[in-house]
Amino acid sequence: MISVLIADDEQPAIDELAFLLGQDARIGVIHQAASGAEAIRLLTREPVDAAFLDIHMPGLNGFDLARALQRFERRPALVFVTADEESALEAFDLAAVDYLLKPVRTERLHRSVTRIVEAIKAQAAPTTDAAASAQPEMIAVTLGGTTRMIRRDEVRYVQAQGDYARLHTEEASYLVRVPMSDLERQWADTFVRIHRSYLVAIPHLARLRLGGDHPSVVVGGAELPVSRRLLPALRDRLESTTIRPRT
């Protein structure tokens, strides 16, 4: 069970987030603080596993609070909860586990709790090069003129668009100024090229139709073509995983 703190200067926001967190069986004690200063006082008495921090609090704001927590011997996993889309880069500079936009959706909060669980497990594991490399890779993307951070393991497939690549996740798609050939090389551990226009994440493959005249794969509800030239390489790659093609 994860103990958490919610720090927000608006009580309705605290009540709503506390209610949603209470629906998750992984959440235990939920502490509340109406200001950054109150959060500091509480955390000196009651260490928690994770802190959900509003950014725009009067006095000690969420970022100030996060910096103060860096001096704590037991530092909670940080999740910023805000209506401000433009502070994501600063949030991840402070090693935030996640960045939630208000109003918070239940399914999105569930994924945030999963990230907290993963962060706690990683913190408890012995520090090795292998453990460090297991940390999720974060990618800076732009949507509507706003820069935000997403995890590489959230990307389901990549679509080539000229000298750019479009990253497709469950929530949205993002255009990045990186050729898909570069991503194919850099992400070869979990992605495989299936077509000149598509690179797919093997863990997100939902259905495979590799026989017949028009082989394809389904990723996140999208059916993508598999080129005949790349079909043998895809089969070989799948043979090395637990996935077996359905012909």
Side-chain angles (χ1 to χ4, degrees):
M1 301 286 283
I2 301 169
S3 60
V4 303
L5 165 71
I6 303 172
D8 197 309
D9 62 314
E10 297 182 358
Q11 189 60 44
I14 291 179
D15 293 341
E16 180 180 7
L17 186 55
F19 173 78
L20 294 176
L21 285 169
Q23 310 307 303
D24 195 312
R26 295 168 294 180
I27 299 296
V29 178
I30 302 175
H31 299 280
Q32 301 181 9
S35 67
E38 183 181 345
I40 290 290
R41 290 194 295 270
L42 189 149
L43 290 172
T44 57
R45 303 191 310 268
E46 300 284 347
V48 301
D49 298 308
F52 290 80
L53 309 179
D54 179 41
I55 292 178
H56 299 295
M57 292 185 288
L60 197 69
N61 66 34
F63 288 151
D64 295 332
L65 178 54
R67 295 185 187 96
L69 292 178
Q70 291 176 345
R71 299 193 295 270
F72 279 51
E73 182 177 351
R74 181 182 173 187
R75 181 173 179 267
L78 301 178
V79 177
F80 290 101
V81 187
T82 179
D84 180 8
E85 294 187 1
E86 299 181 355
S87 300
L89 286 177
E90 186 173 357
F92 285 101
D93 282 343
L94 291 167
V97 171
D98 208 351
Y99 189 88
L100 297 177
L101 291 176
K102 296 178 180 179
V104 177
R105 294 182 291 110
T106 302
E107 62 274 16
R108 184 65 182 82
L109 183 61
H110 185 273
R111 290 205 301 275
S112 188
V113 174
T114 298
R115 292 183 179 186
I116 291 169
V117 171
E118 293 172 352
I120 292 172
K121 289 180 179 178
Q123 193 174 38
T127 303
T128 63
D129 291 342
S133 65
Q135 296 298 312
E137 177 185 342
M138 305 303 297
I139 307 161
V141 298
T142 301
L143 183 65
T146 300
T147 300
R148 64 184 67 184
M149 304 296 290
I150 64 170
R151 286 169 45 154
R152 195 237 283 193
D153 59 15
E154 293 178 340
V155 179
R156 296 179 168 186
Y157 65 94
V158 182
Q159 182 179 8
Q161 292 195 347
D163 293 332
Y164 295 77
R166 182 168 292 280
L167 311 182
H168 291 263
T169 69
E170 179 182 359
E171 295 184 328
S173 68
Y174 310 92
L175 198 64
V176 294
R177 296 182 179 182
V178 181
M180 195 164 75
S181 57
D182 288 355
L183 294 180
E184 180 183 7
R185 183 179 66 256
Q186 296 169 16
W187 294 357
D189 55 336
T190 54
F191 283 74
V192 60
R193 189 75 169 258
I194 63 166
H195 188 275
R196 67 181 181 180
S197 298
Y198 295 106
L199 186 67
V200 299
I202 293 176
H204 286 294
L205 287 174
R207 191 164 67 250
L208 306 137
R209 288 197 289 267
L210 303 186
D213 295 331
H214 302 286
S216 64
V217 299
V218 174
V219 185
E223 185 168 2
L224 307 176
V226 178
S227 73
R228 287 293 179 185
R229 180 178 64 85
L230 294 171
L231 182 57
L234 175 60
R235 287 185 181 276
D236 289 344
R237 187 69 180 272
L238 295 178
E239 284 298 321
S240 66
T241 71
T242 57
I243 300 174
R244 292 293 179 269
R246 180 184 300 167
T247 57

